[in-house]
Amino acid sequence: MNHMPLMIDLSQKSIVIVGGGKVATKRASTLIEYCADVHIVSPTISTTLKELLDNENITWSQKEFEPQDVEHADLVVIATNNNDVNTKVLESVPHHALCNHASKAQVGNVTIPSILKRGKLSISVSTNGASPKLNKKIISRISDMYDESYEMYIDFLYESRQLIKRLSIEPSRKQELLQHILSDEYLDEVKQQEFTRWLHLQV
């Protein structure tokens, strides 16, 4: 495997998860944050998935898997504990679709990383299926480094960048300002507000 990390827009894509147990639940819980069309195919599903049916953009076909279940999918997640079913799903994945095999990462062409989100900031960690527990361990460590305050800080950086781009100053000066706001002092909300007010006066 030689998977390259990518950020992908799934908001208008069709996701089909085959399976309804613990792994399928984990995959669905992640994907519904990014996609409005997540469909589960499984005779039974977990209590958590049943709860998600009431609250999120997720649907369920209470049935055994059939090849036509994935013919229009953009991403297929194989997440059952039955090897025969998993093989059948894998053989049915259409050529245009991406495939994540939850128990055999090397079989599919997509791995789903562990993710830390702080607003516009996303940090993902993957061992390409070698050790999901290490993924979690690393995410846990960096979650303390990049705590909840980073959500506001990233918004500040975004707004500042838009304003700096509008300034009638030399490009080199713009780069200096962009570098300046990466200083740790701007993790402070008061400093952010002061700098933003100053920028608005300059535009």
Side-chain angles (χ1 to χ4, degrees):
M1 271 194 312
N2 189 23
H3 290 168
M4 183 180 77
L6 290 173
M7 301 289 283
I8 182 170
D9 179 8
L10 294 176
S11 59
Q12 302 300 316
K13 302 300 182 182
S14 175
I15 316 297
V16 176
I17 300 174
V18 182
K22 182 178 179 180
V23 176
T25 301
K26 180 181 177 182
R27 290 287 189 269
S29 299
T30 298
L31 288 166
I32 56 177
E33 295 187 33
Y34 302 92
C35 179
D37 182 10
V38 177
H39 186 66
I40 308 294
V41 178
S42 179
T44 60
I45 59 175
S46 68
T47 301
T48 301
L49 281 177
K50 288 180 180 177
E51 293 172 353
L52 291 176
L53 289 174
D54 297 328
N55 302 316
E56 303 289 350
N57 297 320
I58 185 170
T59 53
W60 174 33
S61 289
Q62 188 175 5
K63 61 189 284 294
E64 298 289 347
F65 171 77
E66 297 175 285
Q68 58 265 33
D69 293 326
V70 295
E71 61 183 359
H72 299 300
D74 297 301
L75 169 62
V76 177
V77 177
I78 304 173
T80 84
N81 58 5
N82 186 310
N83 288 332
D84 291 337
V85 173
N86 288 348
T87 298
K88 185 177 180 181
V89 178
L90 184 62
E91 293 172 347
S92 303
V93 175
H95 293 300
H96 72 269
L98 298 171
C99 176
N100 169 246
H101 197 305
S103 61
K104 296 180 180 179
Q106 70 277 11
V107 173
N109 54 18
V110 169
T111 57
I112 298 178
S114 297
I115 303 169
L116 173 69
K117 282 186 64 65
R118 297 290 188 244
K120 292 182 177 67
L121 175 65
S122 295
I123 301 174
S124 62
V125 176
S126 173
T127 56
N128 283 327
S131 178
K133 290 186 181 300
L134 179 58
N135 292 358
K136 292 180 180 179
K137 184 176 181 179
I138 294 172
I139 287 291
S140 177
R141 286 181 176 178
I142 63 178
S143 66
D144 294 330
M145 184 182 303
Y146 299 98
D147 61 21
E148 287 78 4
S149 67
Y150 267 81
E151 181 169 350
M152 182 175 295
Y153 177 55
I154 298 299
D155 286 340
F156 159 72
L157 292 178
Y158 176 78
E159 181 183 4
S160 296
R161 182 169 182 266
Q162 304 313 306
L163 292 170
I164 290 171
K165 286 165 61 177
R166 292 166 53 191
L167 294 178
S168 299
I169 57 178
E170 292 295 320
S172 60
R173 177 54 179 159
K174 291 183 180 181
Q175 292 303 315
E176 288 176 4
L177 289 173
L178 291 171
Q179 184 65 39
H180 175 67
I181 56 177
L182 294 180
S183 168
D184 287 348
E185 69 176 298
Y186 287 104
L187 290 171
D188 181 80
E189 184 179 354
V190 174
K191 289 289 187 179
Q192 294 172 16
Q193 293 172 348
E194 290 175 352
F195 188 81
T196 301
R197 283 196 296 269
W198 178 80
L199 277 178
H200 277 288
L201 291 173
Q202 309 307 310
V203 174

